[in-house]
Coordinates of all heavy atoms in Angstrom, one line a residue:
M15 N -16.2 12.6 -35.8 CA -15.9 13.4 -37.0 C -15.2 14.7 -36.6 O -15.7 15.5 -35.8 CB -17.1 13.7 -37.8 CG -17.0 14.5 -39.0 SD -18.5 14.7 -39.9 CE -18.7 16.5 -39.7
R16 N -14.0 15.0 -37.3 CA -13.3 16.3 -37.1 C -13.2 16.9 -38.4 O -12.7 16.3 -39.3 CB -12.0 16.1 -36.4 CG -12.1 15.6 -35.0 CD -10.7 15.4 -34.4 NE -10.2 16.7 -34.1 CZ -9.6 17.0 -32.9 NH1 -9.6 16.1 -32.0 NH2 -9.2 18.2 -32.7
K17 N -13.6 18.2 -38.5 CA -13.4 18.9 -39.7 C -13.2 20.4 -39.5 O -14.0 21.1 -38.8 CB -14.8 18.7 -40.5 CG -14.7 19.3 -41.9 CD -15.9 18.9 -42.8 CE -15.6 19.3 -44.2 NZ -16.7 19.0 -45.1
K18 N -12.0 20.8 -39.9 CA -11.6 22.1 -39.7 C -11.8 22.9 -41.0 O -11.4 22.5 -42.0 CB -10.1 22.2 -39.3 CG -9.6 23.6 -38.9 CD -8.2 23.6 -38.4 CE -7.6 24.9 -38.1 NZ -6.2 24.8 -37.7
I19 N -12.6 24.0 -40.9 CA -13.0 24.7 -42.1 C -12.7 26.2 -41.9 O -12.9 26.8 -40.9 CB -14.5 24.6 -42.3 CG1 -14.9 23.1 -42.4 CG2 -15.0 25.3 -43.6 CD1 -16.4 22.9 -42.3
K20 N -12.2 26.8 -43.0 CA -11.9 28.2 -43.0 C -13.2 28.9 -43.3 O -13.9 28.6 -44.3 CB -10.9 28.6 -44.1 CG -10.5 30.0 -44.1 CD -9.3 30.3 -45.0 CE -8.9 31.7 -45.0 NZ -7.8 32.0 -45.9
F21 N -13.6 29.9 -42.5 CA -14.9 30.6 -42.7 C -14.6 32.1 -43.0 O -13.6 32.7 -42.7 CB -15.6 30.6 -41.4 CG -16.5 29.3 -41.2 CD1 -15.9 28.1 -41.0 CD2 -17.9 29.4 -41.3 CE1 -16.7 27.0 -40.8 CE2 -18.7 28.3 -41.2 CZ -18.1 27.0 -41.0
D22 N -15.7 32.7 -43.6 CA -15.6 34.1 -43.8 C -16.1 34.7 -42.4 O -16.7 34.1 -41.6 CB -16.6 34.6 -44.9 CG -16.1 34.1 -46.3 OD1 -14.9 34.4 -46.6 OD2 -16.8 33.4 -46.9
F23 N -15.8 36.0 -42.3 CA -16.2 36.7 -41.0 C -16.4 38.2 -41.2 O -15.9 38.7 -42.1 CB -15.1 36.4 -39.9 CG -13.8 36.8 -40.4 CD1 -13.3 38.1 -40.0 CD2 -12.9 36.1 -41.1 CE1 -12.1 38.6 -40.5 CE2 -11.7 36.5 -41.5 CZ -11.3 37.8 -41.2
H24 N -17.1 38.7 -40.2 CA -17.3 40.2 -40.1 C -17.3 40.6 -38.7 O -18.0 40.0 -37.9 CB -18.5 40.6 -40.8 CG -18.8 42.1 -40.6 ND1 -18.1 43.1 -41.4 CD2 -19.7 42.7 -39.9 CE1 -18.6 44.3 -41.0 NE2 -19.5 44.1 -40.1
Y25 N -16.6 41.7 -38.3 CA -16.8 42.2 -36.9 C -17.4 43.7 -37.0 O -16.9 44.5 -37.7 CB -15.4 42.3 -36.3 CG -15.5 43.0 -34.9 CD1 -16.3 42.4 -33.9 CD2 -14.8 44.1 -34.6 CE1 -16.4 43.0 -32.7 CE2 -14.9 44.7 -33.3 CZ -15.7 44.1 -32.4 OH -15.8 44.8 -31.1
S26 N -18.5 43.9 -36.4 CA -19.1 45.1 -36.3 C -18.7 45.8 -35.0 O -19.1 45.4 -33.9 CB -20.7 45.0 -36.3 OG -21.2 46.2 -35.9
E27 N -17.8 46.7 -35.2 CA -17.2 47.4 -34.0 C -18.3 48.2 -33.2 O -18.3 48.2 -32.0 CB -16.1 48.4 -34.5 CG -15.3 49.0 -33.4 CD -14.2 50.0 -34.0 OE1 -13.9 49.9 -35.1 OE2 -13.6 50.7 -33.0
S28 N -19.2 48.8 -33.9 CA -20.2 49.6 -33.2 C -21.2 48.8 -32.5 O -21.7 49.2 -31.4 CB -20.9 50.5 -34.2 OG -21.6 49.7 -35.2
D29 N -21.5 47.6 -33.0 CA -22.4 46.7 -32.2 C -21.7 45.6 -31.4 O -22.3 45.0 -30.6 CB -23.3 46.0 -33.2 CG -24.2 47.0 -33.9 OD1 -24.7 48.0 -33.3 OD2 -24.4 46.8 -35.2
D30 N -20.4 45.5 -31.6 CA -19.6 44.5 -30.9 C -20.1 43.1 -31.2 O -20.3 42.3 -30.3 CB -19.4 44.7 -29.4 CG -18.3 43.8 -28.7 OD1 -17.4 43.5 -29.4 OD2 -18.5 43.6 -27.6
V31 N -20.4 42.8 -32.5 CA -20.9 41.6 -32.9 C -20.0 41.0 -33.9 O -19.5 41.5 -34.9 CB -22.3 41.7 -33.6 CG1 -22.7 40.4 -34.2 CG2 -23.3 42.2 -32.6
F32 N -19.5 39.7 -33.6 CA -18.6 39.0 -34.5 C -19.4 37.9 -35.2 O -19.9 37.0 -34.5 CB -17.4 38.4 -33.7 CG -16.2 38.0 -34.5 CD1 -15.2 38.9 -34.8 CD2 -16.1 36.8 -35.1 CE1 -14.1 38.6 -35.7 CE2 -15.0 36.4 -35.8 CZ -14.1 37.3 -36.1
T33 N -19.4 37.9 -36.5 CA -20.2 37.0 -37.3 C -19.2 36.1 -38.1 O -18.3 36.6 -38.8 CB -21.2 37.6 -38.3 OG1 -22.0 38.6 -37.5 CG2 -22.1 36.7 -38.9
I34 N -19.4 34.8 -38.0 CA -18.6 33.8 -38.7 C -19.6 33.1 -39.6 O -20.7 32.6 -39.2 CB -18.0 32.8 -37.8 CG1 -17.0 33.5 -36.8 CG2 -17.2 31.8 -38.5 CD1 -16.7 32.7 -35.6
Y35 N -19.3 33.0 -40.9 CA -20.3 32.4 -41.8 C -19.6 31.7 -43.0 O -18.4 32.0 -43.4 CB -21.2 33.4 -42.4 CG -20.5 34.6 -43.0 CD1 -20.2 34.8 -44.3 CD2 -20.2 35.7 -42.1 CE1 -19.5 35.8 -44.8 CE2 -19.5 36.9 -42.6 CZ -19.2 36.9 -44.0 OH -18.6 37.9 -44.5
D36 N -20.3 30.8 -43.7 CA -19.8 30.1 -44.9 C -20.9 30.5 -46.0 O -22.0 30.0 -45.9 CB -19.8 28.6 -44.7 CG -19.2 27.8 -45.8 OD1 -19.2 28.4 -46.9 OD2 -19.0 26.6 -45.6
Y37 N -20.5 31.2 -47.0 CA -21.4 31.6 -48.1 C -21.9 30.4 -48.9 O -22.9 30.4 -49.5 CB -20.6 32.5 -49.1 CG -20.6 33.9 -48.6 CD1 -19.5 34.7 -48.6 CD2 -21.9 34.7 -48.4 CE1 -19.5 36.0 -48.2 CE2 -21.8 36.0 -48.1 CZ -20.6 36.7 -48.0 OH -20.7 38.0 -47.6
N38 N -21.1 29.3 -48.8 CA -21.5 28.1 -49.6 C -22.6 27.2 -48.9 O -23.1 26.4 -49.6 CB -20.3 27.3 -49.9 CG -19.2 28.1 -50.6 OD1 -19.6 28.7 -51.6 ND2 -18.0 27.9 -50.2
K39 N -22.9 27.5 -47.7 CA -23.9 26.8 -47.0 C -25.1 27.6 -46.7 O -24.9 28.7 -46.1 CB -23.3 26.1 -45.8 CG -22.3 25.1 -46.0 CD -21.8 24.5 -44.7 CE -20.7 23.5 -44.9 NZ -20.0 23.1 -43.7
K40 N -26.3 27.1 -47.0 CA -27.5 27.8 -46.6 C -28.0 27.2 -45.3 O -28.2 26.0 -45.2 CB -28.6 27.5 -47.8 CG -29.8 28.3 -47.5 CD -30.8 28.1 -48.6 CE -32.1 28.9 -48.4 NZ -33.1 28.6 -49.4
P41 N -28.2 28.2 -44.3 CA -28.7 27.6 -43.0 C -30.1 27.1 -43.1 O -31.0 27.6 -43.7 CB -28.7 28.9 -42.1 CG -28.6 30.0 -43.0 CD -28.1 29.6 -44.3
A42 N -30.4 25.9 -42.5 CA -31.7 25.4 -42.4 C -32.4 25.8 -41.1 O -33.6 25.9 -41.0 CB -31.6 23.9 -42.5
E43 N -31.6 26.0 -40.0 CA -32.1 26.5 -38.7 C -31.1 27.3 -38.0 O -29.8 27.1 -38.2 CB -32.7 25.4 -37.9 CG -31.6 24.5 -37.4 CD -32.2 23.4 -36.4 OE1 -33.0 23.7 -35.5 OE2 -31.8 22.3 -36.6
T44 N -31.5 28.2 -37.2 CA -30.7 28.9 -36.3 C -31.1 28.7 -34.8 O -32.3 28.8 -34.5 CB -30.7 30.4 -36.6 OG1 -30.2 30.6 -37.9 CG2 -29.7 31.2 -35.6
I45 N -30.1 28.3 -34.0 CA -30.4 28.0 -32.6 C -29.7 29.1 -31.7 O -28.6 29.4 -31.9 CB -29.8 26.7 -32.2 CG1 -30.3 25.6 -33.1 CG2 -29.9 26.4 -30.7 CD1 -29.6 24.3 -33.0
E46 N -30.6 29.6 -30.8 CA -30.1 30.7 -29.8 C -29.6 29.9 -28.6 O -30.5 29.4 -27.9 CB -31.2 31.7 -29.5 CG -30.7 32.7 -28.6 CD -31.8 33.7 -28.3 OE1 -32.7 33.9 -29.0 OE2 -31.7 34.4 -27.2
F47 N -28.3 29.8 -28.4 CA -27.7 29.1 -27.3 C -27.7 29.9 -26.1 O -27.9 29.3 -25.0 CB -26.3 28.6 -27.6 CG -26.3 27.3 -28.5 CD1 -26.2 27.4 -29.8 CD2 -26.3 26.1 -27.8 CE1 -26.2 26.2 -30.6 CE2 -26.3 24.9 -28.6 CZ -26.2 25.0 -30.0
S48 N -27.5 31.2 -26.2 CA -27.4 32.1 -25.0 C -27.6 33.5 -25.5 O -27.8 33.8 -26.6 CB -26.1 31.9 -24.3 OG -25.1 32.5 -25.1
E49 N -27.6 34.5 -24.6 CA -27.7 35.8 -25.0 C -26.5 36.3 -25.8 O -26.6 37.3 -26.4 CB -27.9 36.7 -23.7 CG -26.6 36.6 -22.8 CD -26.8 37.3 -21.5 OE1 -27.6 36.9 -20.7 OE2 -26.2 38.4 -21.3
F50 N -25.4 35.5 -25.8 CA -24.2 35.8 -26.5 C -24.2 35.2 -27.9 O -23.4 35.6 -28.8 CB -23.0 35.4 -25.8 CG -22.7 36.2 -24.6 CD1 -22.9 35.7 -23.3 CD2 -22.2 37.5 -24.7 CE1 -22.7 36.4 -22.2 CE2 -21.9 38.3 -23.5 CZ -22.1 37.7 -22.2
L51 N -24.9 34.1 -28.1 CA -24.5 33.1 -29.1 C -25.7 32.6 -29.9 O -26.6 32.0 -29.3 CB -23.7 32.0 -28.6 CG -23.0 31.0 -29.4 CD1 -22.0 31.6 -30.3 CD2 -22.5 29.8 -28.6
N52 N -25.7 32.8 -31.3 CA -26.6 32.1 -32.2 C -25.8 31.2 -33.1 O -24.7 31.7 -33.6 CB -27.4 33.1 -33.0 CG -28.3 33.9 -32.2 OD1 -28.8 33.4 -31.2 ND2 -28.5 35.2 -32.6
V53 N -26.2 30.0 -33.4 CA -25.5 29.1 -34.3 C -26.5 28.7 -35.4 O -27.6 28.1 -35.1 CB -24.9 27.8 -33.5 CG1 -24.3 26.8 -34.5 CG2 -24.0 28.3 -32.4
S54 N -26.1 28.8 -36.6 CA -26.9 28.3 -37.7 C -26.3 27.0 -38.3 O -25.1 26.8 -38.4 CB -26.8 29.4 -38.9 OG -27.5 30.6 -38.4
L55 N -27.2 26.1 -38.6 CA -26.9 24.8 -39.1 C -27.4 24.5 -40.4 O -28.6 25.0 -40.7 CB -27.4 23.7 -38.1 CG -26.9 23.8 -36.7 CD1 -27.7 22.8 -35.8 CD2 -25.4 23.6 -36.5
D56 N -26.7 23.8 -41.3 CA -27.4 23.4 -42.6 C -28.2 22.2 -42.4 O -28.4 21.6 -41.3 CB -26.2 23.2 -43.6 CG -25.3 22.0 -43.4 OD1 -25.7 21.1 -42.5 OD2 -24.3 21.9 -44.1
R57 N -28.7 21.6 -43.4 CA -29.6 20.5 -43.3 C -29.0 19.2 -42.8 O -29.7 18.3 -42.2 CB -30.2 20.1 -44.7 CG -31.2 21.2 -45.2 CD -31.8 20.8 -46.5 NE -32.5 21.9 -47.1 CZ -33.8 22.1 -46.9 NH1 -34.5 21.3 -46.1 NH2 -34.4 23.1 -47.5
K58 N -27.7 19.1 -42.9 CA -27.0 17.9 -42.3 C -26.5 18.2 -40.9 O -25.8 17.3 -40.3 CB -25.7 17.6 -43.2 CG -26.1 17.2 -44.6 CD -24.9 17.0 -45.4 CE -25.3 16.6 -46.8 NZ -24.1 16.3 -47.7
G59 N -26.8 19.3 -40.3 CA -26.4 19.6 -39.0 C -25.0 20.2 -38.8 O -24.5 20.3 -37.7
V60 N -24.4 20.6 -40.0 CA -23.1 21.2 -39.9 C -23.2 22.7 -39.8 O -24.1 23.3 -40.4 CB -22.3 20.8 -41.2 CG1 -21.0 21.5 -41.2 CG2 -22.2 19.3 -41.4
I61 N -22.3 23.2 -39.0 CA -22.4 24.7 -38.8 C -22.2 25.5 -40.1 O -21.3 25.2 -40.8 CB -21.4 25.1 -37.8 CG1 -21.7 24.5 -36.4 CG2 -21.3 26.6 -37.6 CD1 -20.6 24.6 -35.3
S62 N -23.1 26.4 -40.3 CA -23.0 27.3 -41.5 C -22.7 28.7 -41.1 O -22.4 29.6 -41.8 CB -24.2 27.2 -42.4 OG -25.4 27.6 -41.6
G63 N -22.9 29.0 -39.7 CA -22.7 30.3 -39.3 C -22.7 30.5 -37.8 O -23.5 29.7 -37.1
I64 N -22.1 31.5 -37.2 CA -22.2 31.7 -35.8 C -22.2 33.2 -35.6 O -21.4 34.0 -36.3 CB -20.9 31.2 -35.1 CG1 -20.9 29.6 -35.2 CG2 -20.8 31.6 -33.6 CD1 -19.7 29.0 -34.5
E65 N -23.1 33.7 -34.8 CA -23.2 35.1 -34.4 C -22.9 35.3 -33.0 O -23.5 34.7 -32.1 CB -24.5 35.7 -34.8 CG -24.7 37.2 -34.6 CD -26.1 37.6 -34.9 OE1 -27.1 36.9 -34.7 OE2 -26.2 38.7 -35.5
I66 N -21.9 36.1 -32.7 CA -21.5 36.3 -31.3 C -21.7 37.8 -30.9 O -21.1 38.6 -31.5 CB -20.0 35.9 -31.1 CG1 -19.8 34.4 -31.5 CG2 -19.5 36.1 -29.7 CD1 -18.4 34.0 -31.7
M67 N -22.6 37.9 -30.0 CA -23.0 39.3 -29.5 C -22.0 39.5 -28.3 O -21.6 38.6 -27.6 CB -24.4 39.4 -29.0 CG -25.4 39.5 -30.2 SD -25.6 38.1 -31.3 CE -26.6 37.0 -30.3
D68 N -21.8 40.8 -28.1 CA -20.8 41.2 -27.0 C -19.5 40.4 -27.1 O -19.0 39.8 -26.2 CB -21.4 41.0 -25.6 CG -22.6 41.9 -25.3 OD1 -22.5 43.2 -25.7 OD2 -23.5 41.5 -24.6
A69 N -19.0 40.5 -28.3 CA -17.8 39.6 -28.7 C -16.6 39.8 -27.9 O -16.0 38.8 -27.5 CB -17.5 39.9 -30.2
I70 N -16.3 41.0 -27.4 CA -15.2 41.3 -26.6 C -15.3 40.5 -25.2 O -14.4 39.9 -24.8 CB -15.0 42.8 -26.4 CG1 -14.6 43.4 -27.7 CG2 -13.8 43.0 -25.3 CD1 -14.6 44.9 -27.6
K71 N -16.5 40.6 -24.6 CA -16.8 39.9 -23.4 C -16.8 38.4 -23.5 O -16.2 37.7 -22.8 CB -18.1 40.4 -22.9 CG -18.4 39.9 -21.5 CD -19.8 40.6 -21.1 CE -20.2 40.2 -19.6 NZ -21.4 40.7 -19.2
F72 N -17.4 37.9 -24.7 CA -17.5 36.5 -24.9 C -16.1 35.9 -25.1 O -15.7 34.9 -24.4 CB -18.3 36.3 -26.2 CG -18.5 34.8 -26.5 CD1 -19.4 34.0 -26.0 CD2 -17.6 34.2 -27.5 CE1 -19.5 32.6 -26.4 CE2 -17.7 32.9 -27.8 CZ -18.6 32.1 -27.3
F73 N -15.3 36.4 -26.0 CA -13.9 35.9 -26.3 C -13.0 36.2 -25.1 O -12.1 35.4 -24.8 CB -13.4 36.5 -27.6 CG -14.0 35.9 -28.8 CD1 -14.6 36.7 -29.7 CD2 -13.9 34.6 -29.1 CE1 -15.2 36.2 -30.8 CE2 -14.4 34.0 -30.3 CZ -15.1 34.8 -31.2
G74 N -13.2 37.3 -24.4 CA -12.4 37.6 -23.3 C -12.4 36.6 -22.1 O -11.5 36.4 -21.4
V75 N -13.5 35.9 -22.0 CA -13.6 34.8 -21.1 C -12.5 33.7 -21.3 O -11.9 33.1 -20.4 CB -15.0 34.2 -21.0 CG1 -15.0 32.9 -20.2 CG2 -16.1 35.1 -20.5
F76 N -12.2 33.5 -22.6 CA -11.3 32.5 -22.9 C -9.8 33.0 -23.1 O -8.9 32.2 -22.9 CB -11.7 31.8 -24.3 CG -13.1 31.3 -24.3 CD1 -14.1 32.0 -24.8 CD2 -13.4 30.1 -23.6 CE1 -15.4 31.5 -24.8 CE2 -14.7 29.6 -23.6 CZ -15.7 30.3 -24.1
N77 N -9.7 34.2 -23.4 CA -8.4 34.9 -23.6 C -8.5 36.3 -23.4 O -9.1 37.0 -24.2 CB -7.9 34.5 -25.1 CG -6.5 35.0 -25.3 OD1 -6.0 35.9 -24.6 ND2 -5.9 34.4 -26.3
E78 N -7.9 36.8 -22.4 CA -7.9 38.2 -22.0 C -7.3 39.1 -23.0 O -7.5 40.3 -23.0 CB -7.3 38.4 -20.6 CG -8.1 37.8 -19.5 CD -7.4 38.0 -18.1 OE1 -6.3 38.5 -18.1 OE2 -8.0 37.5 -17.2
E79 N -6.5 38.6 -23.9 CA -5.8 39.4 -24.9 C -6.7 39.8 -26.1 O -6.4 40.5 -26.9 CB -4.6 38.7 -25.4 CG -3.4 38.5 -24.4 CD -2.2 37.8 -24.9 OE1 -2.0 37.7 -26.1 OE2 -1.5 37.4 -24.0
I80 N -7.9 39.1 -26.2 CA -8.8 39.4 -27.2 C -9.6 40.7 -26.8 O -10.4 40.6 -25.9 CB -9.7 38.2 -27.6 CG1 -8.9 37.1 -28.1 CG2 -10.7 38.6 -28.6 CD1 -9.6 35.8 -28.4
N81 N -9.4 41.7 -27.6 CA -10.0 43.0 -27.3 C -10.5 43.6 -28.6 O -10.4 43.0 -29.7 CB -9.1 44.0 -26.6 CG -7.8 44.2 -27.3 OD1 -7.8 44.1 -28.6 ND2 -6.7 44.5 -26.6
K82 N -11.0 44.8 -28.6 CA -11.6 45.4 -29.8 C -10.5 45.5 -30.9 O -10.8 45.2 -32.1 CB -12.1 46.8 -29.5 CG -12.9 47.4 -30.7 CD -13.5 48.8 -30.3 CE -14.7 48.6 -29.5 NZ -15.5 49.8 -29.3
E83 N -9.4 45.9 -30.5 CA -8.3 46.1 -31.6 C -8.0 44.7 -32.2 O -7.8 44.6 -33.4 CB -7.0 46.7 -30.9 CG -6.0 47.3 -31.8 CD -6.7 48.4 -32.6 OE1 -7.6 49.2 -32.1 OE2 -6.4 48.6 -33.8
F84 N -7.9 43.7 -31.4 CA -7.7 42.3 -31.9 C -8.7 41.9 -32.9 O -8.4 41.4 -34.0 CB -7.6 41.3 -30.7 CG -7.3 39.9 -31.2 CD1 -6.0 39.3 -31.1 CD2 -8.3 39.1 -31.6 CE1 -5.8 38.0 -31.4 CE2 -8.1 37.7 -32.0 CZ -6.9 37.3 -31.9
L85 N -10.0 42.0 -32.5 CA -11.1 41.7 -33.3 C -11.2 42.5 -34.7 O -11.5 42.0 -35.7 CB -12.4 41.8 -32.6 CG -12.6 40.7 -31.5 CD1 -13.9 41.0 -30.7 CD2 -12.5 39.3 -32.0
K86 N -10.8 43.8 -34.6 CA -10.8 44.6 -35.8 C -9.8 44.2 -36.7 O -9.9 44.4 -37.9 CB -10.5 46.1 -35.4 CG -11.6 46.8 -34.8 CD -11.3 48.2 -34.3 CE -10.2 49.0 -34.9 NZ -10.0 50.3 -34.4
N87 N -8.6 43.5 -36.3 CA -7.6 43.1 -37.1 C -7.5 41.6 -37.4 O -6.5 41.1 -37.8 CB -6.3 43.6 -36.5 CG -6.1 45.1 -36.5 OD1 -6.2 45.7 -37.5 ND2 -6.0 45.6 -35.3
V88 N -8.6 40.9 -37.2 CA -8.6 39.5 -37.5 C -8.4 39.3 -38.9 O -9.0 39.9 -39.8 CB -10.0 38.8 -37.0 CG1 -10.1 37.4 -37.6 CG2 -10.0 38.8 -35.5
D89 N -7.5 38.3 -39.3 CA -7.1 38.0 -40.7 C -7.8 36.7 -41.2 O -8.1 36.6 -42.4 CB -5.6 37.9 -40.9 CG -4.8 39.0 -40.5 OD1 -5.2 40.2 -40.9 OD2 -3.8 38.9 -39.7
E90 N -8.0 35.8 -40.3 CA -8.4 34.5 -40.6 C -9.2 33.9 -39.5 O -8.9 34.1 -38.3 CB -7.3 33.6 -40.9 CG -7.5 32.2 -41.5 CD -6.3 31.5 -41.8 OE1 -5.4 32.1 -42.3 OE2 -6.3 30.3 -41.7
V91 N -10.3 33.2 -39.9 CA -11.1 32.4 -38.9 C -11.2 31.0 -39.3 O -11.6 30.8 -40.5 CB -12.5 33.0 -38.7 CG1 -13.4 32.2 -37.8 CG2 -12.4 34.4 -38.1
N92 N -10.9 30.1 -38.5 CA -11.1 28.7 -38.7 C -12.0 28.1 -37.7 O -12.0 28.6 -36.5 CB -9.7 27.9 -38.7 CG -9.0 28.2 -40.0 OD1 -9.2 27.8 -41.1 ND2 -7.9 28.9 -39.8
L93 N -12.8 27.2 -38.0 CA -13.8 26.5 -37.1 C -13.7 25.0 -37.3 O -13.6 24.5 -38.4 CB -15.2 27.0 -37.6 CG -16.2 26.9 -36.5 CD1 -16.9 28.3 -36.5 CD2 -17.2 25.9 -36.8
E94 N -13.6 24.4 -36.1 CA -13.6 22.9 -36.2 C -14.8 22.4 -35.4 O -15.1 22.8 -34.2 CB -12.3 22.4 -35.5 CG -12.2 20.9 -35.6 CD -10.9 20.4 -35.1 OE1 -10.0 21.2 -34.6 OE2 -10.7 19.1 -35.2
Q95 N -15.6 21.5 -36.0 CA -16.7 20.9 -35.4 C -16.3 19.5 -35.1 O -16.0 18.7 -35.9 CB -17.9 21.0 -36.3 CG -19.2 20.4 -35.7 CD -20.4 20.6 -36.6 OE1 -20.6 21.6 -37.1 NE2 -21.3 19.6 -36.7
I96 N -16.5 19.1 -33.8 CA -16.1 17.8 -33.3 C -17.4 17.1 -32.8 O -18.0 17.7 -31.9 CB -15.0 17.8 -32.2 CG1 -13.8 18.6 -32.8 CG2 -14.7 16.4 -31.8 CD1 -12.9 19.0 -31.7
E97 N -17.7 15.9 -33.2 CA -18.8 15.2 -32.8 C -18.3 14.0 -31.8 O -17.4 13.3 -32.3 CB -19.7 14.7 -34.0 CG -20.3 15.8 -34.7 CD -21.2 15.3 -35.8 OE1 -21.8 14.2 -35.7 OE2 -21.3 15.9 -36.8
L98 N -18.9 13.9 -30.7 CA -18.5 12.8 -29.8 C -19.8 12.4 -29.0 O -20.4 13.3 -28.3 CB -17.4 13.3 -28.8 CG -17.0 12.4 -27.8 CD1 -16.4 11.1 -28.4 CD2 -16.0 13.0 -26.9
R99 N -20.2 11.2 -29.1 CA -21.3 10.7 -28.4 C -22.6 11.6 -28.4 O -23.2 12.0 -27.5 CB -20.9 10.4 -26.9 CG -19.9 9.5 -26.7 CD -19.6 9.2 -25.3 NE -18.5 8.3 -25.1 CZ -17.7 8.3 -24.1 NH1 -17.9 9.1 -23.1 NH2 -16.7 7.4 -24.1
N100 N -22.9 11.9 -29.7 CA -24.1 12.7 -30.0 C -24.0 14.1 -29.5 O -25.1 14.8 -29.3 CB -25.4 12.0 -29.5 CG -25.7 10.8 -30.3 OD1 -25.5 10.6 -31.4 ND2 -26.2 9.7 -29.6
N101 N -22.9 14.6 -29.2 CA -22.6 15.9 -28.8 C -21.8 16.6 -29.8 O -20.9 15.9 -30.4 CB -22.0 16.1 -27.4 CG -22.8 15.5 -26.3 OD1 -23.8 16.2 -26.0 ND2 -22.4 14.4 -25.7
K102 N -22.0 17.9 -30.0 CA -21.2 18.7 -31.0 C -20.3 19.7 -30.1 O -20.9 20.4 -29.4 CB -22.1 19.4 -32.0 CG -22.7 18.4 -32.9 CD -23.5 19.1 -34.0 CE -24.2 18.0 -34.8 NZ -24.8 18.5 -36.0
F103 N -19.1 19.8 -30.4 CA -18.2 20.7 -29.8 C -17.6 21.6 -30.9 O -17.3 21.1 -32.0 CB -17.0 20.0 -29.1 CG -17.5 19.1 -28.0 CD1 -17.8 17.8 -28.2 CD2 -17.7 19.6 -26.7 CE1 -18.3 17.0 -27.2 CE2 -18.2 18.8 -25.7 CZ -18.5 17.4 -26.0
V104 N -17.4 22.8 -30.7 CA -16.9 23.8 -31.7 C -15.7 24.5 -31.1 O -15.7 25.0 -30.0 CB -18.0 24.8 -32.0 CG1 -17.4 25.8 -33.0 CG2 -19.2 24.2 -32.6
V105 N -14.6 24.5 -32.0 CA -13.4 25.2 -31.7 C -13.3 26.3 -32.6 O -13.4 26.0 -33.9 CB -12.1 24.3 -31.7 CG1 -11.0 25.0 -31.3 CG2 -12.4 23.1 -30.7
I106 N -13.0 27.6 -32.2 CA -12.9 28.7 -33.1 C -11.4 29.2 -32.9 O -11.0 29.5 -31.9 CB -13.8 29.7 -32.8 CG1 -15.3 29.3 -32.8 CG2 -13.6 31.0 -33.7 CD1 -16.3 30.3 -32.3
W107 N -10.7 29.3 -34.1 CA -9.4 29.8 -34.1 C -9.5 31.3 -34.8 O -10.0 31.4 -35.9 CB -8.4 29.0 -35.0 CG -7.9 27.8 -34.4 CD1 -6.8 27.7 -33.6 CD2 -8.5 26.5 -34.5 NE1 -6.7 26.4 -33.2 CE2 -7.6 25.6 -33.7 CE3 -9.6 25.9 -35.1 CZ2 -7.9 24.2 -33.6 CZ3 -9.9 24.6 -35.0 CH2 -9.0 23.8 -34.3
L108 N -9.0 32.3 -34.1 CA -8.9 33.6 -34.6 C -7.5 34.0 -34.9 O -6.7 33.9 -33.9 CB -9.6 34.6 -33.7 CG -11.0 34.4 -33.3 CD1 -11.5 35.4 -32.3 CD2 -12.0 34.4 -34.5
K109 N -7.1 34.4 -36.0 CA -5.7 34.9 -36.3 C -5.8 36.4 -36.6 O -6.6 36.7 -37.5 CB -5.2 34.1 -37.5 CG -3.8 34.5 -37.9 CD -3.3 33.8 -39.1 CE -2.0 34.3 -39.5 NZ -1.5 33.8 -40.8
S110 N -5.1 37.1 -35.8 CA -5.1 38.5 -35.9 C -3.7 39.1 -36.2 O -2.7 38.7 -35.5 CB -5.7 39.2 -34.6 OG -5.8 40.6 -34.8
G111 N -3.6 39.9 -37.2 CA -2.3 40.5 -37.5 C -2.0 41.7 -36.8 O -1.1 42.2 -36.5

């Protein structure tokens, strides 16, 4: 199953926390994956939110061009959840103007 969804988002510059969420989905549980990442799931196991601590460091691992200025100017966030052999993979697209 592949589903790309546009999410709402907020970046706290003072805390360096990037939050991605869907107001239409109520989280049933939140899983702490690491010191950087919490993922909230609805009752069907679909992502309803992601909280990324130390966002600059987290995203910088994947793309060195993502810095505080980039995150402050994000215009759009899309998230794709891919299921394969009982595993879930998440792709996050950030568009910054």
